[in-house]
Amino acid sequence: MIADRRAHGELTTFFTDREGGVSEGSFSSFNLGLFSGDERSCVERNRALLCGRLGIPPENLFVPNEVHGNRVMVIDHDSPLIPMAERDELFKCDALVTTCRNVCLGVTVADCVPVLFYDEAHQVIAAAHAGWKGIVSDVLGETVKRMCEISSVAPSDLYAEIWPSISAPRFEVGEEVVDRFRSLFSEKEMSGILVREGYPKPHINLRGAVRARLLALGLQDARIWTHPDCTFSDPRYFSARRDGFACGRMVAGIMRIKN
């Protein structure tokens, strides 16, 4: 259910795996994504199981309807009152930010890069879904910008965690994707992002791209942590590139707990 979890004072961050839920078939069993073909009732039951493990009511879990863009939305004290039936349409975005306690911000992934941000002093947290399209449209820059706007935090104060995603050896792309990355990253940055040697087609290091962008935005290297797991290579995780789009999704989440 929860593959890995970290604690930082009042903060907790985590990443789920595919075990311990009620979904079946290619979604077996702990699928937390609503938009890849699983029965909605199964996903809702799985999310309720996760909330029980986290010690929060289901209405305090916020997971966007991701669109592979750069829109960022703020969760406030009234957000838990929003009916569940309205959230799919309302939260069409790829990142969530809040200064509230006892709400969990999560993003669903099955190869894309989940990035969690926090700063305890300014009591602000965020979760961003960074697939390749989101990275080149600068969802990370928009997330950092929104965090600074609502809390007066400086980018250099932020911590970031990069959780499991597809690794460079498994992420083959076309030249048109490489060109999109060149539109945001410098040639020096591209040297750590683009991998050609040993492959007939180019490969992209998504986690390397995320780190490079965070450094360019002003985060400190020592405050950026990267999980080593590859979602494609590890059978504990769902992988859309390995299994096809109609498979389950994990959640990377972050929350501040009021003691």
Side-chain angles (χ1 to χ4, degrees):
M1 182 175 289
I2 293 180
D4 201 353
R5 189 169 185 167
R6 306 182 85 208
H8 317 274
E10 293 183 338
L11 284 161
T12 185
T13 56
F14 66 89
F15 191 78
T16 66
D17 58 25
R18 61 188 302 167
E19 300 298 327
V22 300
S23 295
E24 299 179 347
S26 61
F27 305 99
S28 178
S29 63
F30 198 53
N31 170 39
L32 296 166
L34 283 169
F35 307 107
S36 59
D38 195 7
E39 294 289 336
R40 188 179 189 92
S41 60
C42 291
V43 179
E44 289 175 346
R45 288 171 64 188
N46 288 338
R47 289 188 178 188
L49 288 170
L50 175 62
C51 289
R53 180 67 64 88
L54 296 173
I56 61 171
E59 60 267 24
N60 284 26
L61 172 65
F62 291 89
V63 180
N65 179 356
E66 296 155 359
V67 294
H68 296 270
N70 63 6
R71 187 184 184 202
V72 182
M73 296 188 67
V74 176
I75 300 301
D76 61 26
H77 293 285
D78 294 327
S79 295
L81 302 177
I82 298 172
M84 292 293 189
E86 298 178 11
R87 296 187 182 193
D88 291 357
E89 187 64 28
L90 180 61
F91 293 112
K92 284 188 174 180
C93 62
D94 284 271
L96 299 172
V97 178
T98 193
T99 56
C100 298
R101 296 177 185 265
N102 295 331
V103 296
C104 179
L105 306 183
V107 288
T108 57
V109 293
D111 286 336
C112 293
V113 188
V115 187
L116 306 178
F117 298 86
Y118 62 91
D119 179 66
E120 290 185 87
H122 292 83
Q123 301 182 346
V124 62
I125 62 174
H129 166 254
W132 78 260
K133 292 180 180 178
I135 292 172
V136 299
S137 65
D138 205 19
V139 67
L140 300 172
E142 292 299 316
T143 302
V144 170
K145 177 182 176 182
R146 200 74 178 103
M147 294 180 78
C148 294
E149 289 173 346
I150 72 168
S151 71
S152 73
V153 68
S156 59
D157 293 328
L158 291 172
Y159 289 83
E161 297 183 352
I162 304 169
W163 285 83
S165 66
I166 195 168
S167 60
R170 301 294 191 174
F171 194 57
E172 179 182 281
V173 300
E175 293 294 344
E176 72 283 359
V177 175
V178 175
D179 290 341
R180 293 286 301 278
F181 275 85
R182 291 191 189 280
S183 69
L184 180 65
F185 295 95
S186 69
E187 284 303 312
K188 181 178 180 180
E189 290 169 331
M190 287 297 296
S191 67
I193 296 171
L194 176 61
V195 184
R196 292 189 183 275
E197 187 175 353
Y199 301 109
K201 293 184 178 181
H203 285 230
I204 290 290
N205 180 351
L206 291 178
R207 285 180 283 195
V210 168
R211 176 176 283 273
R213 186 59 187 144
L214 295 178
L215 291 173
L217 290 167
L219 276 75
Q220 300 180 52
D221 184 68
R223 296 191 176 198
I224 304 171
W225 172 86
T226 303
H227 198 287
D229 287 356
C230 169
T231 49
F232 184 105
S233 303
D234 195 325
R236 294 179 301 161
Y237 304 125
F238 298 109
S239 168
R241 180 159 284 213
R242 182 190 66 217
D243 304 326
F245 176 81
C247 71
R249 300 293 188 271
M250 291 82 65
V251 160
I254 182 168
M255 59 187 297
R256 291 173 56 233
I257 303 294
K258 185 176 181 180
N259 295 323

